PDB file of all heavy atoms in Angstrom:
ATOM      1  N   GLN A  19     -19.968 -18.505  24.691  1.00  0.00           N
ATOM      2  CA  GLN A  19     -19.219 -18.790  23.465  1.00  0.00           C
ATOM      3  C   GLN A  19     -17.737 -19.033  23.743  1.00  0.00           C
ATOM      4  O   GLN A  19     -17.116 -19.897  23.136  1.00  0.00           O
ATOM      5  CB  GLN A  19     -19.384 -17.626  22.480  1.00  0.00           C
ATOM      6  CG  GLN A  19     -18.776 -17.884  21.108  1.00  0.00           C
ATOM      7  CD  GLN A  19     -19.065 -16.742  20.140  1.00  0.00           C
ATOM      8  OE1 GLN A  19     -20.130 -16.132  20.177  1.00  0.00           O
ATOM      9  NE2 GLN A  19     -18.114 -16.435  19.283  1.00  0.00           N
ATOM     10  N   PHE A  20     -17.175 -18.262  24.685  1.00  0.00           N
ATOM     11  CA  PHE A  20     -15.734 -18.344  24.914  1.00  0.00           C
ATOM     12  C   PHE A  20     -15.360 -19.142  26.168  1.00  0.00           C
ATOM     13  O   PHE A  20     -14.212 -19.145  26.595  1.00  0.00           O
ATOM     14  CB  PHE A  20     -15.135 -16.934  24.955  1.00  0.00           C
ATOM     15  CG  PHE A  20     -15.404 -16.132  23.706  1.00  0.00           C
ATOM     16  CD1 PHE A  20     -16.060 -14.908  23.766  1.00  0.00           C
ATOM     17  CD2 PHE A  20     -15.042 -16.628  22.458  1.00  0.00           C
ATOM     18  CE1 PHE A  20     -16.326 -14.176  22.613  1.00  0.00           C
ATOM     19  CE2 PHE A  20     -15.297 -15.902  21.299  1.00  0.00           C
ATOM     20  CZ  PHE A  20     -15.948 -14.676  21.368  1.00  0.00           C
ATOM     21  N   GLY A  21     -16.356 -19.816  26.765  1.00  0.00           N
ATOM     22  CA  GLY A  21     -16.062 -20.769  27.840  1.00  0.00           C
ATOM     23  C   GLY A  21     -15.765 -20.168  29.202  1.00  0.00           C
ATOM     24  O   GLY A  21     -15.030 -20.741  30.003  1.00  0.00           O
ATOM     25  N   PHE A  22     -16.344 -18.999  29.509  1.00  0.00           N
ATOM     26  CA  PHE A  22     -16.105 -18.372  30.821  1.00  0.00           C
ATOM     27  C   PHE A  22     -17.241 -18.643  31.817  1.00  0.00           C
ATOM     28  O   PHE A  22     -17.200 -18.152  32.940  1.00  0.00           O
ATOM     29  CB  PHE A  22     -15.932 -16.853  30.667  1.00  0.00           C
ATOM     30  CG  PHE A  22     -14.707 -16.467  29.881  1.00  0.00           C
ATOM     31  CD1 PHE A  22     -14.820 -15.837  28.655  1.00  0.00           C
ATOM     32  CD2 PHE A  22     -13.433 -16.732  30.373  1.00  0.00           C
ATOM     33  CE1 PHE A  22     -13.698 -15.476  27.922  1.00  0.00           C
ATOM     34  CE2 PHE A  22     -12.298 -16.379  29.651  1.00  0.00           C
ATOM     35  CZ  PHE A  22     -12.428 -15.752  28.421  1.00  0.00           C
ATOM     36  N   GLU A  23     -18.236 -19.403  31.387  1.00  0.00           N
ATOM     37  CA  GLU A  23     -19.447 -19.581  32.202  1.00  0.00           C
ATOM     38  C   GLU A  23     -19.154 -20.066  33.625  1.00  0.00           C
ATOM     39  O   GLU A  23     -19.764 -19.609  34.587  1.00  0.00           O
ATOM     40  CB  GLU A  23     -20.374 -20.587  31.500  1.00  0.00           C
ATOM     41  CG  GLU A  23     -21.826 -20.235  31.637  1.00  0.00           C
ATOM     42  CD  GLU A  23     -22.722 -21.129  30.773  1.00  0.00           C
ATOM     43  OE1 GLU A  23     -22.218 -21.792  29.856  1.00  0.00           O
ATOM     44  OE2 GLU A  23     -23.919 -21.156  31.059  1.00  0.00           O
ATOM     45  N   ASP A  24     -18.212 -20.997  33.752  1.00  0.00           N
ATOM     46  CA  ASP A  24     -17.892 -21.550  35.073  1.00  0.00           C
ATOM     47  C   ASP A  24     -16.748 -20.807  35.752  1.00  0.00           C
ATOM     48  O   ASP A  24     -16.280 -21.203  36.809  1.00  0.00           O
ATOM     49  CB  ASP A  24     -17.533 -23.041  34.941  1.00  0.00           C
ATOM     50  CG  ASP A  24     -18.686 -23.847  34.363  1.00  0.00           C
ATOM     51  OD1 ASP A  24     -19.849 -23.488  34.650  1.00  0.00           O
ATOM     52  OD2 ASP A  24     -18.440 -24.811  33.614  1.00  0.00           O
ATOM     53  N   LYS A  25     -16.289 -19.726  35.126  1.00  0.00           N
ATOM     54  CA  LYS A  25     -15.127 -19.011  35.674  1.00  0.00           C
ATOM     55  C   LYS A  25     -15.511 -17.661  36.269  1.00  0.00           C
ATOM     56  O   LYS A  25     -14.670 -16.901  36.712  1.00  0.00           O
ATOM     57  CB  LYS A  25     -14.077 -18.819  34.568  1.00  0.00           C
ATOM     58  CG  LYS A  25     -13.535 -20.159  34.077  1.00  0.00           C
ATOM     59  CD  LYS A  25     -12.514 -19.989  32.973  1.00  0.00           C
ATOM     60  CE  LYS A  25     -11.914 -21.349  32.618  1.00  0.00           C
ATOM     61  NZ  LYS A  25     -11.915 -21.637  31.207  1.00  0.00           N
ATOM     62  N   VAL A  26     -16.816 -17.352  36.243  1.00  0.00           N
ATOM     63  CA  VAL A  26     -17.311 -16.140  36.899  1.00  0.00           C
ATOM     64  C   VAL A  26     -18.245 -16.576  38.026  1.00  0.00           C
ATOM     65  O   VAL A  26     -18.662 -17.730  38.083  1.00  0.00           O
ATOM     66  CB  VAL A  26     -18.048 -15.213  35.892  1.00  0.00           C
ATOM     67  CG1 VAL A  26     -17.086 -14.728  34.813  1.00  0.00           C
ATOM     68  CG2 VAL A  26     -19.241 -15.916  35.249  1.00  0.00           C
ATOM     69  N   SER A  27     -18.561 -15.646  38.920  1.00  0.00           N
ATOM     70  CA  SER A  27     -19.371 -16.023  40.093  1.00  0.00           C
ATOM     71  C   SER A  27     -20.804 -16.373  39.727  1.00  0.00           C
ATOM     72  O   SER A  27     -21.365 -17.341  40.217  1.00  0.00           O
ATOM     73  CB  SER A  27     -19.377 -14.892  41.127  1.00  0.00           C
ATOM     74  OG  SER A  27     -18.065 -14.520  41.460  1.00  0.00           O
ATOM     75  N   TYR A  28     -21.402 -15.549  38.850  1.00  0.00           N
ATOM     76  CA  TYR A  28     -22.813 -15.791  38.516  1.00  0.00           C
ATOM     77  C   TYR A  28     -23.143 -15.218  37.146  1.00  0.00           C
ATOM     78  O   TYR A  28     -22.746 -14.099  36.829  1.00  0.00           O
ATOM     79  CB  TYR A  28     -23.742 -15.170  39.578  1.00  0.00           C
ATOM     80  CG  TYR A  28     -25.156 -15.671  39.451  1.00  0.00           C
ATOM     81  CD1 TYR A  28     -25.480 -16.972  39.816  1.00  0.00           C
ATOM     82  CD2 TYR A  28     -26.179 -14.868  38.931  1.00  0.00           C
ATOM     83  CE1 TYR A  28     -26.781 -17.455  39.675  1.00  0.00           C
ATOM     84  CE2 TYR A  28     -27.469 -15.346  38.783  1.00  0.00           C
ATOM     85  CZ  TYR A  28     -27.758 -16.646  39.163  1.00  0.00           C
ATOM     86  OH  TYR A  28     -29.033 -17.129  39.008  1.00  0.00           O
ATOM     87  N   VAL A  29     -23.850 -16.034  36.352  1.00  0.00           N
ATOM     88  CA  VAL A  29     -24.337 -15.579  35.048  1.00  0.00           C
ATOM     89  C   VAL A  29     -25.850 -15.453  35.144  1.00  0.00           C
ATOM     90  O   VAL A  29     -26.546 -16.442  35.392  1.00  0.00           O
ATOM     91  CB  VAL A  29     -23.958 -16.560  33.914  1.00  0.00           C
ATOM     92  CG1 VAL A  29     -24.474 -16.058  32.571  1.00  0.00           C
ATOM     93  CG2 VAL A  29     -22.443 -16.756  33.857  1.00  0.00           C
ATOM     94  N   SER A  30     -26.361 -14.253  34.984  1.00  0.00           N
ATOM     95  CA  SER A  30     -27.796 -14.022  35.120  1.00  0.00           C
ATOM     96  C   SER A  30     -28.568 -14.684  33.984  1.00  0.00           C
ATOM     97  O   SER A  30     -28.114 -14.732  32.846  1.00  0.00           O
ATOM     98  CB  SER A  30     -28.092 -12.525  35.133  1.00  0.00           C
ATOM     99  OG  SER A  30     -29.488 -12.306  35.214  1.00  0.00           O
ATOM    100  N   THR A  31     -29.772 -15.188  34.309  1.00  0.00           N
ATOM    101  CA  THR A  31     -30.601 -15.860  33.306  1.00  0.00           C
ATOM    102  C   THR A  31     -31.607 -14.919  32.663  1.00  0.00           C
ATOM    103  O   THR A  31     -32.325 -15.303  31.755  1.00  0.00           O
ATOM    104  CB  THR A  31     -31.398 -17.022  33.958  1.00  0.00           C
ATOM    105  OG1 THR A  31     -32.204 -16.481  35.011  1.00  0.00           O
ATOM    106  CG2 THR A  31     -30.476 -18.083  34.519  1.00  0.00           C
ATOM    107  N   GLY A  32     -31.667 -13.676  33.136  1.00  0.00           N
ATOM    108  CA  GLY A  32     -32.691 -12.758  32.615  1.00  0.00           C
ATOM    109  C   GLY A  32     -32.101 -11.488  32.049  1.00  0.00           C
ATOM    110  O   GLY A  32     -31.518 -10.703  32.786  1.00  0.00           O
ATOM    111  N   GLY A  33     -32.235 -11.268  30.764  1.00  0.00           N
ATOM    112  CA  GLY A  33     -31.700 -10.061  30.130  1.00  0.00           C
ATOM    113  C   GLY A  33     -32.436  -8.810  30.560  1.00  0.00           C
ATOM    114  O   GLY A  33     -31.909  -7.964  31.283  1.00  0.00           O
ATOM    115  N   GLY A  34     -33.713  -8.697  30.143  1.00  0.00           N
ATOM    116  CA  GLY A  34     -34.516  -7.521  30.461  1.00  0.00           C
ATOM    117  C   GLY A  34     -34.712  -7.328  31.954  1.00  0.00           C
ATOM    118  O   GLY A  34     -34.649  -6.204  32.474  1.00  0.00           O
ATOM    119  N   ALA A  35     -34.923  -8.424  32.668  1.00  0.00           N
ATOM    120  CA  ALA A  35     -35.140  -8.348  34.118  1.00  0.00           C
ATOM    121  C   ALA A  35     -33.889  -7.843  34.826  1.00  0.00           C
ATOM    122  O   ALA A  35     -33.959  -7.026  35.745  1.00  0.00           O
ATOM    123  CB  ALA A  35     -35.538  -9.719  34.663  1.00  0.00           C
ATOM    124  N   MET A  36     -32.746  -8.327  34.383  1.00  0.00           N
ATOM    125  CA  MET A  36     -31.473  -7.890  34.970  1.00  0.00           C
ATOM    126  C   MET A  36     -31.265  -6.389  34.729  1.00  0.00           C
ATOM    127  O   MET A  36     -30.907  -5.637  35.645  1.00  0.00           O
ATOM    128  CB  MET A  36     -30.347  -8.690  34.310  1.00  0.00           C
ATOM    129  CG  MET A  36     -28.981  -8.077  34.449  1.00  0.00           C
ATOM    130  SD  MET A  36     -28.053  -8.871  35.737  1.00  0.00           S
ATOM    131  CE  MET A  36     -26.492  -8.076  35.498  1.00  0.00           C
ATOM    132  N   LEU A  37     -31.514  -5.941  33.502  1.00  0.00           N
ATOM    133  CA  LEU A  37     -31.315  -4.525  33.179  1.00  0.00           C
ATOM    134  C   LEU A  37     -32.237  -3.638  34.005  1.00  0.00           C
ATOM    135  O   LEU A  37     -31.817  -2.605  34.523  1.00  0.00           O
ATOM    136  CB  LEU A  37     -31.538  -4.274  31.682  1.00  0.00           C
ATOM    137  CG  LEU A  37     -30.552  -4.984  30.738  1.00  0.00           C
ATOM    138  CD1 LEU A  37     -30.811  -4.585  29.299  1.00  0.00           C
ATOM    139  CD2 LEU A  37     -29.104  -4.671  31.102  1.00  0.00           C
ATOM    140  N   GLU A  38     -33.496  -4.065  34.146  1.00  0.00           N
ATOM    141  CA  GLU A  38     -34.438  -3.246  34.940  1.00  0.00           C
ATOM    142  C   GLU A  38     -34.045  -3.222  36.419  1.00  0.00           C
ATOM    143  O   GLU A  38     -34.232  -2.212  37.102  1.00  0.00           O
ATOM    144  CB  GLU A  38     -35.871  -3.744  34.734  1.00  0.00           C
ATOM    145  CG  GLU A  38     -36.387  -3.433  33.328  1.00  0.00           C
ATOM    146  CD  GLU A  38     -37.894  -3.543  33.186  1.00  0.00           C
ATOM    147  OE1 GLU A  38     -38.601  -3.558  34.208  1.00  0.00           O
ATOM    148  OE2 GLU A  38     -38.367  -3.609  32.019  1.00  0.00           O
ATOM    149  N   SER A  39     -33.488  -4.322  36.913  1.00  0.00           N
ATOM    150  CA  SER A  39     -33.000  -4.345  38.301  1.00  0.00           C
ATOM    151  C   SER A  39     -31.864  -3.349  38.472  1.00  0.00           C
ATOM    152  O   SER A  39     -31.797  -2.621  39.461  1.00  0.00           O
ATOM    153  CB  SER A  39     -32.488  -5.742  38.677  1.00  0.00           C
ATOM    154  OG  SER A  39     -33.521  -6.680  38.629  1.00  0.00           O
ATOM    155  N   LEU A  40     -30.949  -3.316  37.485  1.00  0.00           N
ATOM    156  CA  LEU A  40     -29.815  -2.389  37.560  1.00  0.00           C
ATOM    157  C   LEU A  40     -30.258  -0.936  37.424  1.00  0.00           C
ATOM    158  O   LEU A  40     -29.597  -0.027  37.902  1.00  0.00           O
ATOM    159  CB  LEU A  40     -28.790  -2.722  36.468  1.00  0.00           C
ATOM    160  CG  LEU A  40     -28.099  -4.081  36.582  1.00  0.00           C
ATOM    161  CD1 LEU A  40     -27.201  -4.331  35.380  1.00  0.00           C
ATOM    162  CD2 LEU A  40     -27.292  -4.192  37.874  1.00  0.00           C
ATOM    163  N   GLU A  41     -31.402  -0.740  36.762  1.00  0.00           N
ATOM    164  CA  GLU A  41     -31.953   0.616  36.641  1.00  0.00           C
ATOM    165  C   GLU A  41     -32.629   1.063  37.941  1.00  0.00           C
ATOM    166  O   GLU A  41     -33.096   2.184  38.056  1.00  0.00           O
ATOM    167  CB  GLU A  41     -32.975   0.663  35.489  1.00  0.00           C
ATOM    168  CG  GLU A  41     -32.338   0.601  34.111  1.00  0.00           C
ATOM    169  CD  GLU A  41     -33.356   0.420  32.993  1.00  0.00           C
ATOM    170  OE1 GLU A  41     -34.570   0.329  33.292  1.00  0.00           O
ATOM    171  OE2 GLU A  41     -32.944   0.350  31.829  1.00  0.00           O
ATOM    172  N   GLY A  42     -32.711   0.118  38.905  1.00  0.00           N
ATOM    173  CA  GLY A  42     -33.300   0.458  40.199  1.00  0.00           C
ATOM    174  C   GLY A  42     -34.793   0.226  40.278  1.00  0.00           C
ATOM    175  O   GLY A  42     -35.446   0.640  41.233  1.00  0.00           O
ATOM    176  N   LYS A  43     -35.354  -0.426  39.260  1.00  0.00           N
ATOM    177  CA  LYS A  43     -36.801  -0.685  39.267  1.00  0.00           C
ATOM    178  C   LYS A  43     -37.121  -1.900  40.133  1.00  0.00           C
ATOM    179  O   LYS A  43     -36.341  -2.839  40.204  1.00  0.00           O
ATOM    180  CB  LYS A  43     -37.291  -0.941  37.842  1.00  0.00           C
ATOM    181  CG  LYS A  43     -37.179   0.260  36.917  1.00  0.00           C
ATOM    182  CD  LYS A  43     -37.616  -0.085  35.509  1.00  0.00           C
ATOM    183  CE  LYS A  43     -37.443   1.109  34.568  1.00  0.00           C
ATOM    184  NZ  LYS A  43     -37.706   0.743  33.164  1.00  0.00           N
ATOM    185  N   THR A  44     -38.286  -1.868  40.778  1.00  0.00           N
ATOM    186  CA  THR A  44     -38.776  -3.046  41.491  1.00  0.00           C
ATOM    187  C   THR A  44     -39.538  -3.900  40.485  1.00  0.00           C
ATOM    188  O   THR A  44     -40.494  -3.429  39.864  1.00  0.00           O
ATOM    189  CB  THR A  44     -39.711  -2.649  42.649  1.00  0.00           C
ATOM    190  OG1 THR A  44     -38.976  -1.796  43.529  1.00  0.00           O
ATOM    191  CG2 THR A  44     -40.175  -3.875  43.417  1.00  0.00           C
TER     192      THR A  44
END
């Protein structure tokens, strides 16, 4: 929305998958 997409290193495409990865789940 605020135009930062190309100004960060990586924007993850998966909401739930990303959260479970951060929780340490395989």
